[in-house]
Structures are given as structure tokens and as C-alpha cells.
Amino acid sequence: MRRKELIEGIYELHNALVQLAIPEILMAQLQGNAKDNDGLSPVFLKQVTEYVLRAQKFSPAARQVAGILGISALENTDMWHAFRVSRDEAIELYNAVRYAAKDLPRLAALLQQGTAEPIEESINNKTGKYKGMRLLSVTVFEQGNRFSTPTRLTNVLESINLFYTTCAYLNDESPDSLSVVACDSGSDKSFDFLGIAKVVECVTNLIETLWDRIVFYRELQHEQRIELVAKTLPVIEQINNSASNGHIEPELAEQLKRNVLEGTMKFVQSGAAIPQIESRAHHDARSLLSPVQKLLISAPDEDAEENIEPSSDEVPEDKSQSVKSHSQMNVDVLSKDEREQLLHLLNKTKQEEGAVSTGSLEIIEEF
């Protein structure tokens, strides 16, 4: 869970507790002598039920915080009846809720990065030295227990730099005005970039358009898709127009087009996204922008080490076993047509790979 997600989850849980006055409701129930509704006051039932409905829509981060603090027990209707009398379980839950309502904002303040937030505040207020600047957040998706390699993270940084450089030249701005001001990690990773507002907006539009092209060409093979995506981006036409009207030199235009192609390849291969893409509900950004496997490594799994089998593209150490499995194939059960089909496939394999195992030769000879 990234720090930003945890902070948002903390405030999500805190707002639900405070806005529904859950600490006060629980205390009133503990001190009260309600006789209706099986000893539970109507106000208690109404507010706690409202909290349960709200909790069902919590983000994963908010649910995790509630579980760690023990507040998720409030969603259990069996726990409600503990409030008919001052039992230990009810008091413990009340104390957890009271602590959360009082101190969760302080916990969130401890998690603040101290860099991106003041910059964003300055940008929003249009004051200070960050006036005219803009932040760009890039998320690097992780897949379960598969961790990113340095190459993958480098590709993310380089792709944004290539996009920014291209957009800076097209907007008559310095390509050296981009900075990395914050990074975060957890189940995913993220980087916050700071740059000139109109250049960052150009980069954002470029990535959004890139996403649209990926969705449109999602049925194609990976390499073919990336090439088509890069060539059909509107920024390519913008570069050509800038070269045609003399705004940039032809040599620079060619370099910028190469930047777009290289940046597209690195960005797509790294499996990264921006919030504007993640917020779109029509397609899953995580699946369509998943990184290529060579840029990821698996976490060690001690329990599975003894059961690891070689993958299909690995050559077994004991080649005699592979040959033996082929040589023991029983072709007597095949019909004449089936034998001819098998022979055709084996010959085709021989032509493609340039060699054939001894076992396969024995099978061909049997025909």
C-alpha cells in the first residue's frame, strides 16, 4: 500500500466516524438504559447501520486501517449486542473508535512526504516559486510477488523525460525544467514529477492519447501494437507541422520523433500509468499496461523452491530424458492419415529449428 493511498484511506475512515458521530453514539449506548429494539437505541441502530453501508464502499486502504485498529468489528452485528451492557468487548471497540476519531489526522500528518504536498498547495494557490508549474504523478504497477528490476524503473523515468523533452521543444521551453520531487512505494510504486505547466499538460495529453491507441490496438501483438501506437500519436503530426513552418529544424524534428517512439516503447513496456488513465472505468489500465515479464523478477518462495520446473524456453539439463520421452511414443495406434500429419509436423519443426532430436528421427524412420 503506497503512502498516498494510506493517507487517503485514513481520512476516508476518519470522515465516516466523525460525520456519523460514531464515538458519541457508542458512548451514549454504553451509558444508556434503552429498552426498545432489544436494548439498542434507535439512534444507535440508525447511525451504526449507516456506517456499515458506508464501510462497504471503503477503499482497500481504508479497510486495512479499520482492520488494524479493530474498528472493522463495528460491521459485525453480533458486536452490536455487546453494547446492551458494558461488556469488555464493547468498551474495547469504543476506545478504538475514540482513538481513531481523535488521532487519525495526526497519523496522516506523520505520513505526509513533506515535499509534494507543499508544492501542490503552492501550485493550487498560484503563489510562491512554483507558480506556473504543475505536478505529474506516474504509477508503476506491480504484479503480486513480482518485483521491479532497476531497468524497469529506469525505463519509466526515461520515458517521461523523453516525452517532456519533446513537449518542451514544441512549446519553446527548456527541456531541463523537469524534476523528480517525490517517490512512493507499497503494493505499487509512484513518482511525482514537477515541470512547467503547459509542458506537463502536453505530456499528460500525449500519455492519454497513447492509452487510447493501446485500447484501440489491444488485439495486436505487443511489438506491432507499440509501433502503431507511436506512429499514430497526434504529437507526431505536430512535430511535422513545426518542421514544415520552420519552427524547429528538420534534424531536431527527426530527433523528437525518435524520442516519441523510444518513450512510447519504454513507457508501455514498463507497465506505468497516470491518474488520468487509472480513473477511466471502460478498460483496466493495470492489465493493458502490464509490464513485459523480462522487466520483473519474482520474490523468492522457499516453499516452492523444490518444486520449480524448467519453463518451456529452458533446455533441460538431462537431454536424454527429453529424447527418451520422444522415442517411447507409440505410433502404432495412429492411422495412416494421422501418421502423415505427424510426419508433416515433425518435418516442419525440423525446418524451423534447423535440427531435430534423435527420438524424433526414430519416429520418422518408423514411417
Side-chain angles (χ1 to χ4, degrees):
M1 198 71 66
R2 286 181 293 148
R3 186 188 331 218
K4 180 179 180 181
E5 294 171 326
L6 282 175
I7 293 174
E8 293 174 351
I10 287 173
Y11 280 115
E12 188 177 0
L13 174 62
H14 179 263
N15 292 338
L17 295 174
V18 172
Q19 292 172 4
L20 297 174
I22 298 300
E24 294 79 6
I25 296 300
L26 298 187
M27 174 56 73
Q29 179 62 41
L30 282 172
Q31 296 177 341
N33 296 310
K35 300 299 181 181
D36 54 344
N37 294 305
D38 196 22
L40 300 176
S41 71
V43 177
F44 175 91
L45 290 173
K46 178 179 180 299
Q47 295 301 101
V48 174
T49 300
E50 181 66 26
Y51 171 83
V52 172
L53 294 175
R54 193 161 174 174
Q56 291 177 351
K57 300 179 182 178
F58 277 171
S59 65
R63 298 200 66 85
Q64 182 177 2
V65 174
I68 292 174
L69 297 180
I71 299 174
S72 56
L74 192 60
E75 302 174 44
N76 186 355
T77 55
D78 293 336
M79 178 60 72
W80 298 2
H81 296 287
F83 285 88
R84 290 181 298 175
V85 292
S86 296
R87 294 170 50 185
D88 293 341
E89 299 95 320
I91 295 175
E92 183 179 355
L93 177 56
Y94 164 73
N95 287 333
V97 170
R98 183 184 63 174
Y99 163 78
K102 178 183 177 182
D103 292 333
L104 276 182
R106 299 180 184 180
L107 179 60
L110 287 174
L111 294 174
Q112 297 289 345
Q113 292 176 316
T115 303
E117 289 78 9
I119 291 177
E120 188 171 9
E121 183 178 356
S122 175
I123 292 174
N124 293 335
N125 295 334
K126 299 180 180 180
T127 58
K129 62 180 180 180
Y130 299 114
K131 181 180 179 181
M133 307 292 282
R134 183 173 171 181
L135 288 173
L136 172 65
S137 180
V138 179
T139 301
V140 183
F141 296 133
E142 301 286 19
Q143 296 180 332
N145 67 338
R146 301 185 68 86
F147 303 140
S148 294
T149 64
T151 301
R152 183 189 181 202
L153 299 182
T154 300
N155 282 348
V156 175
L157 298 174
E158 288 183 350
S159 65
I160 298 301
N161 186 54
L162 289 168
F163 290 154
Y164 189 89
T165 298
T166 300
C167 289
Y169 278 113
L170 292 176
N171 287 274
D172 294 323
E173 298 289 349
S174 170
D176 298 325
S177 54
L178 181 67
S179 302
V180 181
V181 296
C183 57
D184 198 358
S185 65
S187 54
D188 294 323
K189 295 180 176 65
S190 66
F191 298 93
D192 289 327
F193 298 85
L194 177 67
I196 299 173
K198 61 180 180 181
V199 181
V200 173
E201 183 179 2
C202 172
V203 174
T204 302
N205 292 335
L206 192 160
I207 296 176
E208 285 187 284
T209 308
L210 183 155
W211 159 256
D212 291 334
R213 298 298 191 276
I214 289 177
V215 173
F216 186 79
Y217 297 118
R218 63 185 182 276
E219 302 298 334
L220 300 178
Q221 294 295 326
H222 183 74
E223 293 78 6
Q224 185 181 9
R225 178 174 56 177
I226 293 179
E227 184 178 359
L228 281 173
V229 166
K231 289 182 177 179
T232 58
L233 290 174
V235 71
I236 297 297
E237 182 178 357
Q238 185 178 354
I239 293 173
N240 290 331
N241 292 337
S242 296
S244 299
N245 57 30
H247 182 71
I248 59 176
E249 296 296 328
E251 294 80 6
L252 178 58
E254 291 302 317
Q255 180 60 53
L256 295 183
K257 285 191 283 188
R258 286 195 296 269
N259 286 354
V260 173
L261 176 58
E262 183 180 355
T264 299
M265 293 179 62
K266 290 180 179 295
F267 189 85
V268 174
Q269 289 177 349
S270 64
I274 59 177
Q276 292 84 344
I277 291 177
E278 296 181 78
S279 62
R280 300 187 182 189
H282 299 294
H283 298 279
D284 183 13
R286 182 177 294 271
S287 62
L288 284 178
L289 290 176
S290 59
V292 291
Q293 295 302 316
K294 66 179 180 180
L295 297 181
L296 295 173
I297 58 174
S298 297
D301 188 352
E302 296 180 358
D303 296 334
E305 285 182 355
E306 296 182 357
N307 297 323
I308 295 178
E309 297 181 357
S311 61
S312 58
D313 55 351
E314 293 178 340
V315 179
E317 294 183 3
D318 187 0
K319 297 182 180 181
S320 61
Q321 288 296 109
S322 176
V323 173
K324 181 179 180 182
S325 62
H326 288 292
S327 62
Q328 292 179 346
M329 292 177 61
N330 185 7
V331 297
D332 294 336
V333 297
L334 302 179
S335 66
K336 182 178 179 181
D337 292 339
E338 290 173 337
R339 292 188 182 191
E340 292 178 353
Q341 292 178 7
L342 178 57
L343 179 60
H344 173 72
L345 291 174
L346 290 174
N347 285 329
K348 183 178 180 182
T349 302
K350 180 179 178 181
Q351 294 172 0
E352 292 180 350
E353 298 181 357
V356 65
S357 67
T358 305
S360 298
L361 286 173
E362 292 177 358
I363 295 174
I364 296 175
E365 290 174 357
E366 290 184 10
F367 289 102

